[in-house]
Amino acid sequence: MHVRPAKFFDENGRRLDGRLPDEMRPVDMKVGVLSNADGSAIVSYGKTKVLAAVYGPREPLQKYTVLPDRASLFVRYHMAPFSTEERKSPVPTRREVEISKVLREALEPVVITELFPRTVIEVYVEVLQSDGGTRTASATAASLALADAGIPMRALVAGVAIGKVDNVVVLDLNEPEDNFGEADMPVVAAPDLGLITLFQLNGVMTVEETQKGLDMALKAISELVEKEKQTLRSSIEEVDVE
Ligand code: CDP
């Protein structure tokens, strides 16, 4: 959407897509969606849809920095050319390089890399369809794909973006809210460890709004992590039955 909507809320306080300010979009999670990867997941938050594939731990095929005491974590976030309203060039942009870095930092604290010295664990995230919040949905998908690959983890992470639109703090921004709102605050956390592993703020919010937004994000992230656990459990049960 290239034009700012006239208003972001209707007379009942509902957003353009019918949600209340503290409501998540419908979330869908699946693991084991790719047979050629060691672990994989597809996650959607409404129209935002991302695919994550994990390989490893394995000996580096490319020239990664090999660490003597632990595995290196490599993360590549990429938007497919067809994922945006206007075709996106497949060439990685600075934005994608930066998001790859912050996603690696969001995942590193939960992966037990010390168990696999001199190896690499590769995480590829492909945005299939974007409607806001792709970095946070990517963190959720990567967490699931790492677990699906059987990589030992201290905890699972999940992410969601908070924003401020027409002076209201809202959960799980969609693209018009992200592009035309007053602030965008993506959060990734590991609730079981009490850790926030990604926290960014573009725009301006008061201290109170930031605190309120963080509380909303952490509540939603706990629910997302529970859903990750259920998704992983049911994938194991399916394998047991076969
Ligand atoms: O996706 P995320 O909110 O993590 O990152 P952003 O940089 O705040 O981008 C917000 C949204 O803008 C994305 O989710 C896409 O829907 C859109 N976008 C786009 O359409 N084309 C791009 N090259 C980058 C972003």
Side-chain angles (χ1 to χ4, degrees), residues 142-197:
S143 169
L144 271 172
L146 284 161
D148 183 52
I151 295 187
M153 292 162 83
R154 297 183 175 87
L156 295 166
V157 297
V160 73
I162 294 292
K164 184 170 136 184
V165 187
D166 281 351
N167 269 319
V168 180
V169 178
V170 295
L171 178 71
D172 187 27
L173 288 180
N174 59 29
E175 185 173 314
E177 291 172 339
D178 184 305
N179 290 356
F180 301 108
E182 294 102 78
D184 163 21
M185 186 177 91
V187 182
V188 178
D192 293 341
L193 299 176
L195 283 183
I196 293 171
T197 63

Short mmCIF file of all heavy atoms in Angstrom, two decimals, residues 142-197:
data_model
loop_
_atom_site.label_atom_id
_atom_site.label_comp_id
_atom_site.label_asym_id
_atom_site.label_seq_id
_atom_site.Cartn_x
_atom_site.Cartn_y
_atom_site.Cartn_z
N ALA A 142 12.64 -19.55 12.33
CA ALA A 142 14.00 -20.06 12.51
C ALA A 142 14.09 -20.89 13.78
O ALA A 142 14.72 -21.95 13.81
CB ALA A 142 14.99 -18.89 12.55
N SER A 143 13.44 -20.42 14.85
CA SER A 143 13.44 -21.16 16.11
C SER A 143 12.84 -22.55 15.91
O SER A 143 13.39 -23.58 16.34
CB SER A 143 12.65 -20.34 17.13
OG SER A 143 12.38 -21.07 18.29
N LEU A 144 11.71 -22.60 15.21
CA LEU A 144 11.04 -23.88 14.94
C LEU A 144 11.90 -24.78 14.06
O LEU A 144 12.00 -25.98 14.31
CB LEU A 144 9.73 -23.61 14.19
CG LEU A 144 8.48 -23.36 15.01
CD1 LEU A 144 7.34 -22.94 14.10
CD2 LEU A 144 8.07 -24.62 15.78
N ALA A 145 12.53 -24.20 13.03
CA ALA A 145 13.33 -25.01 12.10
C ALA A 145 14.57 -25.57 12.80
O ALA A 145 14.97 -26.71 12.56
CB ALA A 145 13.72 -24.17 10.89
N LEU A 146 15.17 -24.78 13.71
CA LEU A 146 16.33 -25.27 14.47
C LEU A 146 15.91 -26.45 15.35
O LEU A 146 16.59 -27.48 15.41
CB LEU A 146 16.91 -24.14 15.35
CG LEU A 146 17.75 -23.09 14.62
CD1 LEU A 146 17.87 -21.83 15.47
CD2 LEU A 146 19.14 -23.64 14.29
N ALA A 147 14.77 -26.31 16.01
CA ALA A 147 14.28 -27.40 16.87
C ALA A 147 13.93 -28.61 16.02
O ALA A 147 14.23 -29.75 16.38
CB ALA A 147 13.07 -26.92 17.68
N ASP A 148 13.32 -28.35 14.84
CA ASP A 148 12.95 -29.46 13.94
C ASP A 148 14.20 -30.20 13.44
O ASP A 148 14.16 -31.40 13.19
CB ASP A 148 12.15 -28.88 12.76
CG ASP A 148 11.68 -29.96 11.80
OD1 ASP A 148 11.04 -30.93 12.28
OD2 ASP A 148 11.94 -29.85 10.59
N ALA A 149 15.32 -29.47 13.33
CA ALA A 149 16.59 -30.09 12.91
C ALA A 149 17.23 -30.88 14.06
O ALA A 149 18.27 -31.50 13.87
CB ALA A 149 17.56 -29.02 12.40
N GLY A 150 16.64 -30.84 15.23
CA GLY A 150 17.18 -31.58 16.37
C GLY A 150 18.38 -30.90 17.00
O GLY A 150 19.16 -31.52 17.73
N ILE A 151 18.55 -29.61 16.74
CA ILE A 151 19.68 -28.88 17.32
C ILE A 151 19.38 -28.55 18.78
O ILE A 151 18.31 -27.99 19.06
CB ILE A 151 19.97 -27.62 16.48
CG1 ILE A 151 20.42 -28.13 15.12
CG2 ILE A 151 21.00 -26.71 17.16
CD1 ILE A 151 20.92 -27.20 14.15
N PRO A 152 20.26 -28.96 19.70
CA PRO A 152 19.98 -28.69 21.11
C PRO A 152 19.86 -27.20 21.39
O PRO A 152 20.72 -26.41 20.98
CB PRO A 152 21.19 -29.29 21.83
CG PRO A 152 21.80 -30.23 20.87
CD PRO A 152 21.52 -29.68 19.51
N MET A 153 18.78 -26.83 22.06
CA MET A 153 18.52 -25.41 22.36
C MET A 153 18.15 -25.25 23.82
O MET A 153 17.52 -26.12 24.40
CB MET A 153 17.35 -24.91 21.48
CG MET A 153 17.71 -24.85 20.01
SD MET A 153 16.24 -24.77 18.98
CE MET A 153 15.90 -23.02 19.07
N ARG A 154 18.54 -24.11 24.37
CA ARG A 154 18.20 -23.81 25.77
C ARG A 154 16.72 -23.47 25.90
O ARG A 154 16.13 -23.67 26.94
CB ARG A 154 19.01 -22.62 26.28
CG ARG A 154 20.50 -22.89 26.30
CD ARG A 154 21.29 -21.72 26.87
NE ARG A 154 22.68 -22.15 26.95
CZ ARG A 154 23.54 -22.04 25.94
NH1 ARG A 154 23.19 -21.48 24.81
NH2 ARG A 154 24.78 -22.49 26.09
N ALA A 155 16.17 -22.90 24.85
CA ALA A 155 14.77 -22.46 24.86
C ALA A 155 14.39 -22.12 23.43
O ALA A 155 15.25 -22.05 22.55
CB ALA A 155 14.62 -21.22 25.75
N LEU A 156 13.11 -21.89 23.23
CA LEU A 156 12.63 -21.43 21.92
C LEU A 156 12.46 -19.92 21.97
O LEU A 156 12.18 -19.36 23.04
CB LEU A 156 11.29 -22.08 21.60
CG LEU A 156 11.32 -23.61 21.43
CD1 LEU A 156 9.91 -24.17 21.46
CD2 LEU A 156 12.02 -23.99 20.13
N VAL A 157 12.62 -19.27 20.83
CA VAL A 157 12.32 -17.84 20.76
C VAL A 157 11.14 -17.62 19.81
O VAL A 157 10.85 -18.48 18.98
CB VAL A 157 13.51 -16.97 20.25
CG1 VAL A 157 14.69 -17.05 21.18
CG2 VAL A 157 13.89 -17.32 18.83
N ALA A 158 10.49 -16.49 19.95
CA ALA A 158 9.46 -16.06 18.99
C ALA A 158 9.50 -14.55 18.95
O ALA A 158 10.07 -13.91 19.86
CB ALA A 158 8.08 -16.57 19.41
N GLY A 159 8.89 -13.98 17.92
CA GLY A 159 8.93 -12.52 17.80
C GLY A 159 7.61 -11.94 17.35
O GLY A 159 6.78 -12.63 16.75
N VAL A 160 7.45 -10.67 17.66
CA VAL A 160 6.28 -9.92 17.18
C VAL A 160 6.64 -8.43 17.16
O VAL A 160 7.48 -8.00 17.97
CB VAL A 160 5.04 -10.20 18.07
CG1 VAL A 160 5.13 -9.55 19.44
CG2 VAL A 160 3.76 -9.78 17.38
N ALA A 161 6.01 -7.69 16.25
CA ALA A 161 6.28 -6.25 16.20
C ALA A 161 5.14 -5.47 16.84
O ALA A 161 3.96 -5.77 16.64
CB ALA A 161 6.46 -5.81 14.75
N ILE A 162 5.52 -4.49 17.63
CA ILE A 162 4.60 -3.55 18.26
C ILE A 162 4.70 -2.25 17.47
O ILE A 162 5.74 -1.97 16.89
CB ILE A 162 5.07 -3.28 19.72
CG1 ILE A 162 4.94 -4.54 20.56
CG2 ILE A 162 4.36 -2.09 20.36
CD1 ILE A 162 3.51 -4.96 20.80
N GLY A 163 3.65 -1.49 17.46
CA GLY A 163 3.75 -0.20 16.78
C GLY A 163 2.85 0.82 17.43
O GLY A 163 2.11 0.52 18.38
N LYS A 164 2.95 2.03 16.89
CA LYS A 164 2.06 3.10 17.35
C LYS A 164 1.40 3.69 16.10
O LYS A 164 2.10 4.11 15.17
CB LYS A 164 2.87 4.15 18.10
CG LYS A 164 2.02 5.25 18.69
CD LYS A 164 2.88 6.09 19.61
CE LYS A 164 2.64 7.55 19.42
NZ LYS A 164 3.51 8.38 20.23
N VAL A 165 0.07 3.65 16.11
CA VAL A 165 -0.69 4.08 14.95
C VAL A 165 -1.78 5.01 15.45
O VAL A 165 -2.55 4.63 16.34
CB VAL A 165 -1.34 2.85 14.26
CG1 VAL A 165 -1.98 3.26 12.97
CG2 VAL A 165 -0.34 1.75 14.03
N ASP A 166 -1.87 6.19 14.89
CA ASP A 166 -2.85 7.18 15.34
C ASP A 166 -2.85 7.29 16.87
O ASP A 166 -3.91 7.26 17.51
CB ASP A 166 -4.28 6.82 14.85
CG ASP A 166 -4.48 7.21 13.39
OD1 ASP A 166 -3.59 7.90 12.83
OD2 ASP A 166 -5.49 6.79 12.80
N ASN A 167 -1.63 7.29 17.42
CA ASN A 167 -1.44 7.43 18.87
C ASN A 167 -1.88 6.24 19.72
O ASN A 167 -1.98 6.36 20.93
CB ASN A 167 -2.16 8.68 19.39
CG ASN A 167 -1.23 9.86 19.35
OD1 ASN A 167 -0.05 9.70 19.69
ND2 ASN A 167 -1.72 11.00 18.91
N VAL A 168 -2.17 5.11 19.08
CA VAL A 168 -2.57 3.90 19.82
C VAL A 168 -1.46 2.86 19.67
O VAL A 168 -0.94 2.65 18.57
CB VAL A 168 -3.91 3.33 19.28
CG1 VAL A 168 -4.33 2.09 20.05
CG2 VAL A 168 -5.00 4.39 19.33
N VAL A 169 -1.11 2.21 20.79
CA VAL A 169 -0.09 1.15 20.75
C VAL A 169 -0.78 -0.13 20.26
O VAL A 169 -1.81 -0.53 20.81
CB VAL A 169 0.54 0.93 22.14
CG1 VAL A 169 1.55 -0.20 22.11
CG2 VAL A 169 1.19 2.22 22.62
N VAL A 170 -0.24 -0.73 19.21
CA VAL A 170 -0.89 -1.91 18.62
C VAL A 170 0.09 -3.08 18.53
O VAL A 170 1.31 -2.91 18.43
CB VAL A 170 -1.48 -1.61 17.21
CG1 VAL A 170 -2.60 -0.60 17.28
CG2 VAL A 170 -0.40 -1.17 16.23
N LEU A 171 -0.49 -4.29 18.56
CA LEU A 171 0.29 -5.53 18.48
C LEU A 171 0.29 -6.03 17.05
O LEU A 171 -0.72 -5.96 16.36
CB LEU A 171 -0.38 -6.58 19.39
CG LEU A 171 0.25 -7.98 19.44
CD1 LEU A 171 1.58 -7.95 20.17
CD2 LEU A 171 -0.68 -8.98 20.10
N ASP A 172 1.46 -6.56 16.63
CA ASP A 172 1.57 -7.28 15.36
C ASP A 172 1.18 -6.41 14.17
O ASP A 172 0.15 -6.62 13.52
CB ASP A 172 0.70 -8.57 15.43
CG ASP A 172 0.90 -9.46 14.22
OD1 ASP A 172 2.00 -9.40 13.62
OD2 ASP A 172 -0.04 -10.20 13.87
N LEU A 173 2.05 -5.45 13.87
CA LEU A 173 1.83 -4.48 12.79
C LEU A 173 1.67 -5.15 11.44
O LEU A 173 2.45 -6.05 11.11
CB LEU A 173 3.07 -3.59 12.66
CG LEU A 173 3.37 -2.55 13.72
CD1 LEU A 173 4.65 -1.82 13.34
CD2 LEU A 173 2.21 -1.59 13.78
N ASN A 174 0.72 -4.68 10.65
CA ASN A 174 0.70 -5.08 9.24
C ASN A 174 1.40 -3.98 8.42
O ASN A 174 1.83 -2.98 8.98
CB ASN A 174 -0.74 -5.38 8.77
CG ASN A 174 -1.65 -4.17 8.93
OD1 ASN A 174 -1.19 -3.04 8.85
ND2 ASN A 174 -2.92 -4.41 9.15
N GLU A 175 1.50 -4.21 7.10
CA GLU A 175 2.35 -3.28 6.32
C GLU A 175 1.90 -1.82 6.33
O GLU A 175 2.72 -0.94 6.58
CB GLU A 175 2.49 -3.80 4.89
CG GLU A 175 3.46 -2.95 4.10
CD GLU A 175 3.77 -3.50 2.73
OE1 GLU A 175 4.03 -4.70 2.63
OE2 GLU A 175 3.74 -2.72 1.77
N PRO A 176 0.61 -1.51 6.10
CA PRO A 176 0.24 -0.07 6.16
C PRO A 176 0.51 0.54 7.53
O PRO A 176 0.95 1.69 7.62
CB PRO A 176 -1.26 -0.06 5.86
CG PRO A 176 -1.64 -1.42 5.42
CD PRO A 176 -0.52 -2.36 5.66
N GLU A 177 0.28 -0.23 8.59
CA GLU A 177 0.56 0.30 9.94
C GLU A 177 2.06 0.52 10.12
O GLU A 177 2.47 1.51 10.73
CB GLU A 177 0.04 -0.70 10.99
CG GLU A 177 -1.47 -0.80 11.05
CD GLU A 177 -1.98 -1.90 11.95
OE1 GLU A 177 -1.22 -2.86 12.24
OE2 GLU A 177 -3.14 -1.85 12.37
N ASP A 178 2.86 -0.39 9.56
CA ASP A 178 4.31 -0.25 9.66
C ASP A 178 4.79 0.96 8.86
O ASP A 178 5.57 1.78 9.33
CB ASP A 178 4.97 -1.54 9.17
CG ASP A 178 6.47 -1.52 9.32
OD1 ASP A 178 7.10 -0.58 8.79
OD2 ASP A 178 7.03 -2.42 9.95
N ASN A 179 4.28 1.07 7.62
CA ASN A 179 4.78 2.12 6.72
C ASN A 179 4.32 3.51 7.10
O ASN A 179 5.03 4.48 6.90
CB ASN A 179 4.35 1.84 5.27
CG ASN A 179 5.08 0.65 4.69
OD1 ASN A 179 5.95 0.07 5.33
ND2 ASN A 179 4.70 0.26 3.49
N PHE A 180 3.10 3.62 7.63
CA PHE A 180 2.53 4.95 7.88
C PHE A 180 2.29 5.25 9.35
O PHE A 180 1.77 6.30 9.68
CB PHE A 180 1.22 5.11 7.08
CG PHE A 180 1.42 4.95 5.60
CD1 PHE A 180 0.95 3.83 4.94
CD2 PHE A 180 2.09 5.91 4.86
CE1 PHE A 180 1.13 3.66 3.58
CE2 PHE A 180 2.29 5.76 3.49
CZ PHE A 180 1.80 4.64 2.85
N GLY A 181 2.61 4.31 10.23
CA GLY A 181 2.43 4.54 11.66
C GLY A 181 3.52 5.43 12.23
O GLY A 181 4.48 5.80 11.53
N GLU A 182 3.41 5.75 13.51
CA GLU A 182 4.38 6.65 14.15
C GLU A 182 5.60 5.91 14.66
O GLU A 182 6.66 6.50 14.88
CB GLU A 182 3.74 7.41 15.31
CG GLU A 182 2.64 8.39 14.92
CD GLU A 182 1.25 7.85 15.18
OE1 GLU A 182 0.80 7.86 16.34
OE2 GLU A 182 0.62 7.41 14.20
N ALA A 183 5.45 4.61 14.93
CA ALA A 183 6.59 3.85 15.46
C ALA A 183 6.43 2.37 15.16
O ALA A 183 5.32 1.87 14.99
CB ALA A 183 6.70 4.06 16.97
N ASP A 184 7.58 1.70 15.13
CA ASP A 184 7.65 0.26 14.82
C ASP A 184 8.68 -0.33 15.77
O ASP A 184 9.81 0.14 15.82
CB ASP A 184 8.08 0.15 13.35
CG ASP A 184 8.58 -1.23 12.96
OD1 ASP A 184 8.25 -2.20 13.65
OD2 ASP A 184 9.30 -1.32 11.93
N MET A 185 8.25 -1.30 16.58
CA MET A 185 9.16 -1.84 17.62
C MET A 185 9.14 -3.37 17.61
O MET A 185 8.36 -3.99 18.31
CB MET A 185 8.70 -1.30 18.98
CG MET A 185 9.61 -1.66 20.12
SD MET A 185 9.02 -0.91 21.67
CE MET A 185 7.97 -2.20 22.32
N PRO A 186 9.99 -3.98 16.77
CA PRO A 186 10.04 -5.44 16.77
C PRO A 186 10.73 -6.00 18.02
O PRO A 186 11.73 -5.43 18.48
CB PRO A 186 10.85 -5.77 15.51
CG PRO A 186 11.51 -4.53 15.07
CD PRO A 186 10.88 -3.37 15.76
N VAL A 187 10.18 -7.09 18.54
CA VAL A 187 10.74 -7.73 19.75
C VAL A 187 10.83 -9.23 19.50
O VAL A 187 9.89 -9.84 19.01
CB VAL A 187 9.82 -7.49 20.98
CG1 VAL A 187 10.42 -8.11 22.24
CG2 VAL A 187 9.52 -6.02 21.20
N VAL A 188 11.98 -9.82 19.86
CA VAL A 188 12.12 -11.28 19.89
C VAL A 188 12.56 -11.66 21.30
O VAL A 188 13.41 -10.99 21.89
CB VAL A 188 13.17 -11.79 18.85
CG1 VAL A 188 13.33 -13.30 18.94
CG2 VAL A 188 12.78 -11.36 17.44
N ALA A 189 11.94 -12.71 21.85
CA ALA A 189 12.29 -13.08 23.23
C ALA A 189 12.22 -14.59 23.42
O ALA A 189 11.58 -15.30 22.65
CB ALA A 189 11.33 -12.39 24.22
N ALA A 190 12.92 -15.03 24.47
CA ALA A 190 12.87 -16.42 24.92
C ALA A 190 12.22 -16.40 26.30
O ALA A 190 12.91 -16.25 27.31
CB ALA A 190 14.28 -16.99 24.99
N PRO A 191 10.89 -16.52 26.37
CA PRO A 191 10.22 -16.36 27.67
C PRO A 191 10.72 -17.35 28.72
O PRO A 191 10.79 -16.99 29.90
CB PRO A 191 8.74 -16.63 27.34
CG PRO A 191 8.62 -16.56 25.87
CD PRO A 191 9.96 -16.78 25.26
N ASP A 192 11.08 -18.57 28.31
CA ASP A 192 11.51 -19.56 29.31
C ASP A 192 12.84 -19.20 29.97
O ASP A 192 13.18 -19.74 31.02
CB ASP A 192 11.62 -20.96 28.66
CG ASP A 192 10.24 -21.47 28.25
OD1 ASP A 192 9.23 -20.94 28.76
OD2 ASP A 192 10.16 -22.37 27.39
N LEU A 193 13.59 -18.30 29.33
CA LEU A 193 14.86 -17.85 29.93
C LEU A 193 14.76 -16.42 30.45
O LEU A 193 15.74 -15.87 30.98
CB LEU A 193 16.00 -17.92 28.90
CG LEU A 193 16.33 -19.30 28.31
CD1 LEU A 193 17.41 -19.16 27.25
CD2 LEU A 193 16.79 -20.26 29.40
N GLY A 194 13.61 -15.80 30.25
CA GLY A 194 13.47 -14.40 30.65
C GLY A 194 14.39 -13.48 29.85
O GLY A 194 14.84 -12.45 30.36
N LEU A 195 14.65 -13.83 28.58
CA LEU A 195 15.59 -13.05 27.76
C LEU A 195 14.88 -12.35 26.61
O LEU A 195 14.02 -12.96 25.95
CB LEU A 195 16.63 -13.97 27.12
CG LEU A 195 17.77 -14.51 27.95
CD1 LEU A 195 18.68 -15.35 27.03
CD2 LEU A 195 18.57 -13.37 28.58
N ILE A 196 15.28 -11.11 26.37
CA ILE A 196 14.89 -10.42 25.13
C ILE A 196 16.12 -10.48 24.24
O ILE A 196 17.20 -10.05 24.64
CB ILE A 196 14.49 -8.96 25.41
CG1 ILE A 196 13.19 -8.95 26.23
CG2 ILE A 196 14.31 -8.18 24.12
CD1 ILE A 196 12.79 -7.59 26.75
N THR A 197 15.96 -11.02 23.02
CA THR A 197 17.16 -11.21 22.19
C THR A 197 17.17 -10.28 20.97
O THR A 197 18.16 -10.22 20.25
CB THR A 197 17.30 -12.68 21.75
OG1 THR A 197 16.18 -13.04 20.95
CG2 THR A 197 17.39 -13.62 22.95
#
